[in-house]
Amino acid sequence: MNPKQSAFYGWWIVALLFYTLIHTAGNGFFAASVYVPRFIEELNCTTSQIMLAAAVWAVVFGFANPVIGALMHRHGVKKIFVSGLACAGVLMLMMSFITRLWQLYALNLLSGFVGAATILVPSQTLVTTWFDKRRGLAMALTTMGIGVGGFIIPQLAAWLIYEFGWRNSLRIGALLTWLIVLPPVLFFLKDRPSDLGQYVDGIPPENDPDIGIRPSLGVSSKRALQTPAFWLITTVYLLQLFVMSGLQMNVQNFAETEMGYSLLMASRFMAFALIVTLPGRMIYGWLCDHTNPKYLMASAGLFLAGGAFVLWYFVIRLGW
């Protein structure tokens, strides 16, 4: 394939990742909260016990990301991504048969690894591989799939639970994973531009005016692990996930059991919260290409803290 005559495939990669994240992030990050009241009732357990199961998923997810990254570096993103999607369907199917709390813990442990293989690591790795100059924009467009998934999938899960029961809802989710999510990744995903005879950003070296002046970015993993900056970023990232996970996992149960909303109505609160993030994702992605990302990360932390405070004060204390 002549790279000068072919359209840059990187934007098709972004579209594919956007589509895939709707399902993987929608289920992995957000739809789980819709099942929390069902698990509490079916397994005859407490909210704290279910949250401990969610914590198992979160801890494994966090520590599995570097392992998945190393596997992708060795075997390629596509092989790990496809394997993760296939396993995701299997785990959803197995989840539909649980009758004991320990089974939920065991499946959440495995799901943490699967989540690492199908959500953030493959998406970020592929965008970084295919893009340099417009990496921020490409990453924003890709992660908008997370917001769209957070809007669609919990409401879809709630409707399926309402119509067919929570067990059949999980089984339908497994089928959708195998039938409409796995095939596009299997047939259209490419690990790197060179697989199609293309270049990063779609620009051949002889046509890139910045190739001689653009600074070299990135360090080896061994060197990164020795820097305070790496551990600071990692700590901030984990704390953000901790706060976001704590909020989103409890919204559905709180809205149903404490506020008295129906299953379908309760699922719309988090859905609304996720859909309004889409403009922010686009704006932040564009800004990442034009300013220092550390200031953007700091401002995002302030927004996250402010949102948690607003929920606590106006909803918990004042009862709005």
Side-chain angles (χ1 to χ4, degrees):
M1 180 180 293
N2 188 335
K4 295 182 180 180
Q5 297 178 352
S6 59
F8 181 47
Y9 198 75
W11 295 112
W12 289 108
I13 294 293
V14 168
L16 177 60
L17 292 173
F18 173 89
Y19 170 77
T20 306
L21 283 173
I22 291 175
H23 186 88
T24 59
N27 277 294
F29 284 158
F30 307 113
S33 64
V34 181
Y35 293 93
V36 168
R38 265 44 70 184
F39 288 151
I40 292 174
E41 180 181 2
E42 181 71 24
L43 303 178
N44 193 27
C45 59
T46 65
T47 302
S48 297
Q49 289 173 315
I50 296 298
M51 290 304 106
L52 180 59
V56 169
W57 183 94
V59 170
V60 173
F61 175 82
F63 283 100
N65 277 307
V67 177
I68 294 299
L71 290 173
M72 288 182 174
H73 180 73
R74 177 176 298 182
H75 302 290
V77 176
K78 183 174 182 176
K79 290 181 180 179
I80 305 302
F81 206 171
V82 168
S83 300
L85 287 171
C87 291
V90 173
L91 288 174
M92 291 183 74
L93 187 61
M94 294 175 65
M95 192 77 74
S96 71
F97 291 100
I98 63 170
T99 56
R100 298 288 187 273
L101 184 61
W102 70 264
Q103 296 168 342
L104 179 63
Y105 289 160
L107 290 177
N108 272 15
L109 188 150
L110 297 174
S111 295
F113 282 97
V114 171
T118 57
I119 304 177
L120 296 178
V121 176
S123 305
Q124 294 170 343
T125 301
L126 286 167
V127 170
T128 302
T129 301
W130 280 85
F131 292 89
D132 181 20
K133 292 184 176 182
R134 308 193 73 181
R135 185 177 296 166
L137 176 61
M139 192 73 74
L141 293 172
T142 297
T143 57
M144 284 177 71
I146 298 176
V148 174
F151 176 73
I152 295 175
I153 301 301
Q155 294 190 87
L156 175 61
W159 179 80
L160 289 173
I161 292 171
Y162 181 79
E163 293 290 338
F164 306 107
W166 69 268
R167 295 186 185 275
N168 286 328
S169 173
L170 287 167
R171 291 161 189 163
I172 294 171
L175 287 175
L176 291 176
T177 300
W178 291 328
L179 295 178
I180 69 172
V181 183
L182 179 57
V185 174
L186 182 62
F187 293 116
F188 300 112
L189 186 68
K190 305 296 180 183
D191 280 341
R192 57 189 66 86
S194 59
D195 292 344
L196 294 175
Q198 296 189 344
Y199 303 97
V200 176
D201 293 316
I203 305 174
E206 62 271 17
N207 295 341
D208 188 353
D210 300 327
I211 194 169
I213 61 175
R214 189 165 59 241
S216 177
L217 300 177
V219 296
S220 66
S221 57
K222 181 178 181 180
R223 182 180 174 187
L225 290 170
Q226 298 172 348
T227 62
F230 172 83
W231 292 109
L232 179 59
I233 293 172
T234 301
T235 301
V236 171
Y237 181 67
L238 290 175
L239 288 173
Q240 288 179 334
L241 284 179
F242 175 80
V243 175
M244 289 186 292
S245 298
L247 289 173
Q248 65 90 13
M249 280 298 295
N250 285 281
V251 165
Q252 181 80 25
N253 190 44
F254 176 80
E256 286 190 52
T257 60
E258 299 294 330
M259 304 297 289
Y261 290 102
S262 67
L263 162 65
L264 297 178
M265 177 59 74
S267 68
R268 295 172 187 165
F269 292 113
M270 183 56 67
F272 174 77
L274 268 295
I275 201 66
V276 298
T277 68
L278 298 185
R281 293 175 190 273
M282 177 62 70
I283 293 170
Y284 267 62
W286 180 85
L287 287 173
C288 279
D289 288 329
H290 297 83
T291 189
N292 193 323
K294 71 178 182 180
Y295 300 119
L296 301 175
M297 194 170 188
S299 66
L302 291 175
F303 280 123
L304 183 60
F309 173 80
V310 167
L311 286 175
W312 168 75
Y313 186 76
F314 290 100
V315 178
I316 304 298
R317 291 202 62 183
L318 300 184
W320 288 9

